[in-house]
Every structure is written in C-alpha cells, then in structure tokens.
C-alpha cells in the first residue's frame, strides 16, 4: 500500500528556515515523480516543487531561490528545505506522488502545517 | 505562466448534474486532472488525463476537454459530493504544474 507521511511543520519566525520530510512506503521514491503542494489557510492549492525520477527539479516562482526539493534514496524520503521564510509561506504542505508519470497526483500525504509568524 | 480559471462556486440540487469549468488558453492541447477536496482532508484525484477515472471513483464523475475549456461533470449529485474541486495541468513552457483557483460545489 502506498503511504506518504509528512513531518517537520512548525511555527517559525520570518526569515527562518525549516526542513519538511515526506517518508514514503509501498513504492520507491527515486522511481517516481514527487511533489510538494501547499494550501494557505482558506485558500486553494498551490504547486511548490517537483523532483523527477531523473533527479531534475523545478520550483514555483514564488519559492525559487528559497526552497529546495531533494530526496534520500536509501531512506525513501523526499525533503523540502525552506529558507528565508515569509508570512505568506504559511500553509499546510502536502507531499504528493504522480499516479503514473504525468497523470495527476494519485497519492497524497495528510499534510504538515507551517506557520511563519513573529 | 499558464493560468487556469475556475468559477468560485457552483450550486446544484441533489440528483441533478453539476458541471465545473476550467478555462485555459488552448487547454485542449493539455492533459487536465481534477481533484476533490473535502474540509480538513487531502485532495483526491477524481479524473486524470481529461477523461479517465482512477479505480474507486464512481462513474458519475466524468471529464471532457475542448478548445479553451475543460469540464468536470458530476451526474446524479449526492450530498457527499459537496467539496472543493480543482483542475490541474502541466505547463510545457515552464515545466511547472499549475492548479486552478478551485470551485466550491454546494449541494442545495
């Protein structure tokens, strides 16, 4: 059974850093397309980052240069390193996996809350 | 960057058909995916690649894509279908994934 479990969400001050983790089971992270999607309180879904099976990564313009997606193959885990955090980064962050490559997000974690506030 | 436009809300009576639009420039050239999200829950994929349904999704859910509009259709709407619905595509110019703003479906 495919499972995604996020962790690492917390309350952090503006300008601070945080690293989110997404522990996967039931499949191999390095063979799949993995993404982070966020949702600010009361708002819609916003794509954040993706790491392809090739290792190529892309980030939304709103986080480019501040956030970095990566993976640890032996731990079967995906990470999101978030630096220079801003209040507008406050959101629930979901880890998601493509159903099959490019065919929509078929698997989601339960989400982890990041709050950026002084 | 590519923009997807959805109506903020759609209302429908139980047993009727709901149609949720997703507008984008020449969207027919893209594969559109649809998600259902209920309060406090993670999204669920209900239609992928314009028209296909994942296993476990009722046949009442269907999708189409033509011209500048993709549409999610829900037949014989039930109270349990009340949720937010999002469309999503891949932007081949930026290699970014894009979500529409979401549509709140209210069952009257």
């Amino acid at each position: 059974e495919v499972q995604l479990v996020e962790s690492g969400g917390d309350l952090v001050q503006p300008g601070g850093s945080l690293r989110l983790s997404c522990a996967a089971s039931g499949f191999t992270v390095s063979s799949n397309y993995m993404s982070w999607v966020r949702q600010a309180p009361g708002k819609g879904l916003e794509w954040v980052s993706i790491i392809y099976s090739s290792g190529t990564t892309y980030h939304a313009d709103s986080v480019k240069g501040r956030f970095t997606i990566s993976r640890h193959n032996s731990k079967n885990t995906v990470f999101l390193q978030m630096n220079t955090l801003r209040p507008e980064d406050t959101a629930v962050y979901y880890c998601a996996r493509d159903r099959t490559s490019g065919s929509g997000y078929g698997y989601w974690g339960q989400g982890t809350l990041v709050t950026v506030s002084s | 960057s590519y923009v997807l436009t959805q109506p903020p809300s759609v209302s429908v009576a139980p047993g009727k058909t709901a149609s949720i639009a997703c507008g984008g420039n020449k969207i027919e050239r893209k594969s559109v995916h649809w998600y259902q999200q209920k309060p406090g829950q993670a999204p669920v994929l209900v239609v992928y690649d314009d028209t296909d349904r994942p296993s476990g999704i009722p046949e009442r859910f269907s999708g189409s894509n033509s011209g500048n509009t993709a549409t999610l259709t829900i037949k014989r709407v039930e109270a349990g279908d009340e949720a937010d619905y999002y469309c999503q595509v891949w932007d081949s110019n930026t290699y970014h994934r894009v979500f529409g703003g979401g549509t709140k479906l209210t069952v009257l």
Side-chain angles (χ1 to χ4, degrees):
Chain A
E1 179 191 6
V2 171
Q3 281 197 324
L4 299 169
V5 179
E6 302 99 332
S7 60
D10 204 347
L11 170 63
V12 61
Q13 292 190 341
S17 298
L18 209 56
R19 188 177 83 156
L20 305 183
S21 299
C22 171
S25 58
F27 72 99
T28 302
V29 158
S30 61
S31 299
N32 287 271
Y33 296 179
M34 301 295 299
S35 294
W36 288 95
V37 176
R38 70 183 180 183
Q39 186 169 36
K43 302 298 184 181
L45 301 174
E46 181 187 14
W47 173 79
V48 175
S49 302
I50 188 169
I51 183 165
Y52 289 104
S53 51
S54 64
T56 300
T57 63
Y58 293 94
H59 299 82
D61 292 345
S62 58
V63 306
K64 195 172 184 179
R66 300 187 300 122
F67 290 12
T68 303
I69 188 172
S70 64
R71 68 189 183 208
H72 194 300
N73 293 344
S74 63
K75 293 183 178 180
N76 212 35
T77 299
V78 177
F79 302 101
L80 185 67
Q81 177 65 44
M82 303 186 295
N83 298 329
T84 320
L85 283 160
R86 305 167 179 167
E88 55 265 35
D89 295 319
T90 294
V92 172
Y93 285 73
Y94 293 101
C95 175
R97 195 205 97 174
D98 279 16
R99 191 191 66 83
T100 60
S101 302
S103 286
Y105 293 116
Y107 305 94
W108 296 74
Q110 83 288 352
T112 187
L113 176 62
V114 173
T115 303
V116 184
S117 174
S118 54
Chain B
S1 60
Y2 196 79
V3 176
L4 294 174
T5 302
Q6 296 183 238
S9 63
V10 168
S11 298
V12 63
K16 300 299 185 181
T17 297
S19 295
I20 299 174
C22 175
N25 185 39
K26 298 175 182 173
I27 197 173
E28 65 180 355
R29 299 181 181 180
K30 301 182 180 300
S31 289
V32 181
H33 317 300
W34 290 92
Y35 304 88
Q36 175 193 69
Q37 186 182 33
K38 296 181 179 179
Q41 298 182 17
V44 173
L45 181 68
V46 293
V47 168
Y48 66 94
D49 292 348
D50 296 338
T51 60
D52 294 335
R53 275 187 318 278
S55 60
I57 301 301
E59 291 184 9
R60 301 185 297 105
F61 289 81
S62 63
S64 62
N65 188 5
S66 178
N68 293 318
T69 304
T71 304
L72 174 69
T73 300
I74 309 171
K75 295 183 178 179
R76 300 182 298 281
V77 168
E78 303 172 356
D81 298 331
E82 190 163 280
D84 294 325
Y85 291 85
Y86 297 89
C87 57
Q88 179 253 311
V89 300
W90 175 64
D91 181 356
S92 56
N93 288 325
T94 63
Y95 289 82
H96 293 179
R97 304 276 174 103
V98 180
F99 284 96
T103 298
K104 180 176 181 59
L105 177 67
T106 299
V107 181
L108 300 171

